[in-house]
Amino acid sequence: MKLSALFENVPDIEIKSLMADSRTKRPDSIFFCVKGIMSDGHNFVDQAIANGAKAIVYSEPLDHMRDDIVYIKVKDVTAAFNAVADAFYGYPSHDLLMFGVTGTNGKSSISCIIRDIMNEIEPTGYIGTISIEYGNVKLPPLLTTPNIDDLHGILRDMVDAGMKSCALEASSIGIEQGRVDAIDFDVAVFTNLTHDHLDYHGTMEKYFLAKKKLFDHLKPDAIAITNVDDPYGMRIVKDCPARVITYGVNHKADYQVTKYQLLADKTRITLKIGDMEYEIETNLVAKFNVYNLVAAIAACHSKGISIEMMLPQIRHLKQIEGRMERIDEGQPFNIIVDFAHTPDGIEQVCQFASAITPKGKRIIAITGSAGKRDTEKRPQFGEILDRYTDMIILTEDDPRDEDPIEIAHEIAAGIKKTNYIIIEDRYDAIRQAVELADPNDTIIILGKGDEKFIYREFGREPYEGDDAIAREVLHKYYFTQEGEENEEK
């Protein structure tokens, strides 16, 4: 694409790519001097030029300028980056029915449910914490909400692959950093707001206001779907220019659950929409998945998909990897893997574990807390696990450059009565839980889900994922030991 097609009064040079990370080689690119959390792109212009930048978009004075480089001064680099990326990739979000999902918990689950329901109607992609998926393509995740260039590029690939819709997780940090400013959302969903990311936002109010930006910027013919049971649910759509639709269990809503039954392997729901009532059965479990499912139903129904068309699919939704994933290899005890990494998320998993664990049997929890992230919630994790569980194994979880043992002791500060041990290696921690479990006990493995990496001091290190390790440990240690005992008898 010609630079002159993206900016006025510039040379007619060919641009082949966009660049925001000066360390990445991008021949014939435009470098955007974006200000990040830890660094300012204005300080890395020379490196960007060395790696192929032919044009520099900046907003603050630069030390020196070269005659062979085009310099374009703008008021807001992020705004310019959004506009250029959208145009460079051919406005892909305008060619897709775009669902955006934001909130502390439930983003991945709701986005994946929307994807699965919509896929029965038309080809639908997904971008989020779990992966990037469309058609037969499944890629590792980038950020929950990818950076501006990556996001528009992925959407372009989806359009080219024949996708008609996309469900996108919109994180508070992604929204605050303007990564979705140029996305043409048709539906935006709010799940809930609880303690998380306060290391970045500072206060719950600032965290809330970051989420609210998604709804403030919706187009008038878009749809805003909000959880009326959440304290922030109606605030987030205040002054929203789009049509507002509500869902909930405890308060009157457009999509209201009037009755639900939670079972170990399925959930039954009575859903009232206007004058109609629908009896719904799903393989999803736990109360929070009642909210997740109804939010996804509201999102799809609002775009013309009939409830009757959804019902068969809802009964047998795909297992959402690492989200309330039941590991069943034939062992006589429960194993649940969940991505829960907030106080509210952990408590909800604990409540479900309590509901399915017979009286007199134990709940064994494995958890840690991410390094360099919101340290205030660590003792809260301990307090919650102390109330619900019978044995706690504290372990590593994306320690970055913090000591996992020190993080574990900070969690343990909230534990007053429950026995706990610290096992630094996460694999060994899961193995220990499996070896401790008796028939009908429940093991809950929290924090990583299906993630295939652990963040350490020097970046990402490969990791199998809690789900894969749980299965491996069962076959390598539990069933092998059981077989040896049977042979001895």
Side-chain angles (χ1 to χ4, degrees), residues 168-460:
L168 167 67
E169 293 184 46
S171 69
S172 60
I173 295 174
I175 297 168
E176 183 69 21
Q177 292 182 352
R179 298 180 208 158
V180 298
D181 284 358
I183 301 299
D184 182 41
F185 286 109
D186 298 287
V187 181
V189 179
F190 172 70
T191 67
N192 49 59
L193 198 75
T194 62
H195 186 124
D196 199 17
H197 298 306
L198 297 194
D199 56 314
Y200 179 87
H201 296 290
T203 66
M204 283 296 292
E205 184 64 15
K206 289 181 180 178
Y207 179 31
F208 162 75
L209 291 173
K211 298 282 190 188
K212 191 175 186 300
K213 288 179 182 178
L214 179 66
F215 297 86
D216 290 345
H217 297 155
L218 289 175
K219 59 191 178 184
D221 61 347
I223 296 168
I225 298 175
T226 189
N227 177 3
V228 74
D229 288 349
D230 188 87
Y232 294 91
M234 295 313 295
R235 278 189 66 199
I236 206 160
V237 293
K238 184 180 179 183
D239 302 322
C240 173
R243 179 162 70 96
V244 174
I245 291 174
T246 59
Y247 69 96
V249 176
N250 302 323
H251 297 84
K252 186 176 180 180
D254 298 315
Y255 291 76
Q256 184 172 5
V257 175
T258 58
K259 187 166 54 178
Y260 63 90
Q261 182 184 16
L262 303 177
L263 302 172
D265 59 349
K266 60 187 173 185
T267 304
R268 296 191 180 104
I269 300 168
T270 301
L271 179 62
K272 189 173 187 294
I273 307 171
D275 296 329
M276 299 293 293
E277 278 196 345
Y278 299 89
E279 299 300 325
I280 297 171
E281 185 174 296
T282 180
N283 57 325
L284 296 177
V285 297
K287 183 178 179 181
F288 61 83
N289 270 326
V290 173
Y291 283 93
N292 292 340
L293 178 60
V294 173
I297 289 172
C300 296
H301 191 235
S302 73
K303 299 309 295 183
I305 311 303
S306 72
I307 302 296
E308 291 81 4
M309 190 176 292
M310 299 184 215
L311 290 177
Q313 180 72 3
I314 289 169
R315 290 178 70 92
H316 304 289
L317 289 164
K318 290 180 184 177
Q319 171 67 60
I320 302 168
E321 297 171 1
R323 271 65 176 175
M324 287 303 290
E325 183 172 356
R326 295 172 66 89
I327 307 299
D328 186 359
E329 299 293 302
Q331 78 279 2
F333 47 86
N334 299 306
I335 300 179
I336 299 169
V337 171
D338 194 79
F339 186 64
H341 60 283
T342 66
D344 179 66
I346 289 175
E347 182 156 18
Q348 298 221 37
V349 177
C350 286
Q351 288 173 347
F352 178 71
S354 297
I356 66 170
T357 306
K359 188 175 181 180
K361 296 299 178 179
R362 297 178 302 164
I363 299 174
I364 303 169
I366 304 165
T367 196
S369 187
K372 311 297 283 187
R373 296 289 187 275
D374 203 357
T375 59
E376 292 180 10
K377 64 186 180 184
R378 292 173 185 172
Q380 295 179 45
F381 289 179
E383 292 169 7
I384 294 164
L385 295 171
D386 196 35
R387 294 202 304 271
Y388 289 96
T389 68
D390 303 284
M391 179 69 197
I392 303 168
I393 302 175
L394 300 175
T395 188
E396 60 183 344
D397 178 347
D398 293 334
R400 294 180 172 85
D401 61 355
E402 284 196 67
D403 182 354
I405 303 298
E406 290 300 316
I407 294 174
H409 283 301
E410 291 182 33
I411 298 171
I415 301 171
K416 304 303 179 187
K417 59 181 178 61
T418 306
N419 290 328
Y420 73 89
I421 55 175
I422 298 174
I423 301 177
E424 181 174 353
D425 184 84
R426 196 170 178 92
Y427 185 103
D428 289 341
I430 294 172
R431 173 184 172 181
Q432 182 67 64
V434 167
E435 291 181 343
L436 284 170
D438 292 325
N440 295 315
D441 284 350
T442 298
I443 298 172
I444 53 175
I445 309 173
L446 306 169
K448 291 295 291 176
D450 70 319
E451 285 187 333
K452 302 302 181 187
F453 56 85
I454 285 184
Y455 279 108
R456 300 198 185 280
E457 184 174 1
F458 301 107
R460 285 188 180 189

